[in-house]
Amino acid sequence: MARSSASSTETTYLFIDGGYLKDKYNKTKQWFEGNGEIDFYKIKGYFSAKKAFYYDCLDNQRKAQESESDFSLRLFEQKQFFNSIQEVEGFHVQLGTLVGDGKKRRQKEVDILLAVDMMNHAIRGNMDKAVLLSGDRDFRPLVQSLIQMGTYVLIASDEESTAKEFIWAADSHHKITFFDLYYWSSNSLISQYPLLDRWNSNDAHELHNYSLVKKGLLKEHKVMLYKSEETFLICFPNYKNSIYNYYIKSNNLSNLETFCCLENNGNINWE
């Protein structure tokens, strides 16, 4: 099978490392005030996947100090979560096991299940393109083997926590951002927690009637906080080395700072 780039006629399969996705999505819950609900139908559609496979494990070990009723409830909620994914058309759930105690607990079989499924579908010619949603470098030999077999492989992960060698092993890479995770959430959450007003501009009048409050840094970006009556505005001058300034506005300073940190995957250090 010849290698190919994305096209409208290719068959795409999506393989999701469940533990990795949940870890990245948990950060988004800061915006949703501790709530969270992933819409797996949206993720499948985003990557134009015909089929999608989700790999995780059931945490069925009772924790220390956990009551029988709390344990039963937690187990029930996990099963409901996996069942809700399985109910999405074209989605399939594969569960490994959890072994060990306390901080030594670890998943078993999950990575093997994912690797075996990807290899089987590639060998049988079921897919032209494989999307692997994971940042686990241990999958690099698997990706390299699929590439050699002629399957087009796209890795979807948080670029900053993913080894370059893993990214380079694939044909292409999709950097998962806060906005991806936000729009992969349920419509009810999106409706309840809309994004802040934001825009690019090089017009000096954008700061008319605003007073500078303080300056800082968010990773390599300069940050400037302004205030006008009850409105707060953060400006990133020449954002990402462009000619434009990037502005974000809110009446809630805490929400404004949280949004900036989530979008840029870092913390603001005020002077």
Side-chain angles (χ1 to χ4, degrees):
M1 183 184 300
R3 287 178 60 177
S4 62
S5 57
S7 71
S8 59
T9 59
E10 70 184 4
T11 299
T12 300
Y13 281 10
L14 169 63
F15 301 85
I16 300 176
D17 179 343
Y20 183 84
L21 175 60
K22 288 188 295 185
D23 178 65
K24 299 305 171 185
Y25 187 78
N26 281 339
K27 297 179 181 179
T28 307
K29 291 182 180 180
Q30 296 177 53
W31 185 250
F32 295 132
E33 297 182 352
N35 300 307
E37 184 180 359
I38 302 173
D39 187 329
F40 285 90
Y41 182 81
K42 288 184 179 180
I43 299 179
K44 178 171 168 282
Y46 184 86
F47 292 105
S48 301
K50 181 179 181 180
K51 290 179 181 290
F53 304 84
Y54 181 88
Y55 302 84
D56 209 334
C57 65
L58 183 67
D59 186 355
N60 56 1
Q61 298 181 16
R62 185 173 171 180
K63 301 176 182 178
Q65 310 302 322
E66 186 176 34
S67 68
E68 182 63 36
S69 60
D70 288 342
F71 171 65
S72 297
L73 177 60
R74 182 170 60 80
L75 203 60
F76 173 78
E77 290 176 342
Q78 287 183 80
K79 292 179 179 179
Q80 287 292 95
F81 173 70
F82 295 137
N83 289 341
S84 68
I85 301 173
Q86 187 68 60
E87 289 174 357
V88 178
E89 182 180 355
F91 245 103
H92 304 271
V93 176
Q94 291 270 43
L95 299 179
T97 57
L98 196 66
V99 298
D101 299 315
K103 294 182 179 180
K104 294 184 179 180
R105 291 194 302 172
R106 64 188 187 280
Q107 293 182 348
K108 294 285 287 185
E109 300 176 352
V110 176
D111 292 355
I112 298 298
L113 288 170
L114 189 156
V116 169
D117 281 354
M118 288 189 75
M119 189 61 68
N120 277 339
H121 287 298
I123 291 173
R124 295 174 182 176
N126 295 335
M127 60 184 181
D128 303 302
K129 177 179 178 180
V131 178
L132 174 59
L133 199 161
S134 178
D136 191 343
R137 184 175 178 173
D138 289 346
F139 287 126
R140 187 170 68 137
L142 168 65
V143 171
Q144 291 173 327
S145 295
L146 292 172
I147 293 294
Q148 293 170 1
M149 293 173 61
T151 303
Y152 189 94
V153 181
L154 180 149
I155 291 173
S157 68
D158 177 351
E159 185 178 45
E160 297 185 3
S161 63
T162 308
K164 289 293 185 182
E165 292 79 8
F166 182 45
I167 294 175
W168 294 335
D171 290 292
S172 58
H173 178 253
H174 173 78
K175 180 181 177 181
I176 295 177
T177 67
F178 162 67
F179 295 109
D180 288 326
L181 297 168
Y182 176 85
Y183 286 114
W184 292 345
S185 299
S186 66
N187 289 333
S188 60
L189 275 178
I190 290 176
S191 176
Q192 187 176 355
Y193 300 94
L195 297 176
L196 300 184
D197 292 336
R198 59 199 191 281
W199 65 95
N200 293 315
S201 175
N202 56 7
D203 188 345
H205 288 87
E206 296 287 356
L207 297 175
H208 185 62
N209 293 327
Y210 282 91
S211 298
L212 179 63
V213 177
K214 54 185 175 181
K215 302 178 182 180
L217 283 174
L218 200 171
K219 297 166 73 172
E220 73 277 12
H221 303 304
K222 292 181 180 179
V223 185
M224 305 179 75
L225 175 65
Y226 294 86
K227 187 176 185 298
S228 175
E229 296 181 351
E230 299 301 319
T231 303
F232 295 94
L233 184 147
I234 277 183
C235 172
F236 290 88
N238 304 119
Y239 189 59
K240 295 185 177 180
N241 297 319
S242 73
I243 63 172
Y244 297 102
N245 298 334
Y246 179 46
Y247 299 95
I248 310 174
K249 183 173 67 175
S250 175
N251 294 330
N252 186 310
L253 178 57
S254 178
N255 282 355
L256 181 59
E257 291 180 322
T258 297
F259 184 90
C260 291
C261 292
L262 287 171
E263 180 180 2
N264 292 280
N265 197 23
N267 298 311
I268 301 176
N269 295 311
W270 296 113
E271 294 179 354

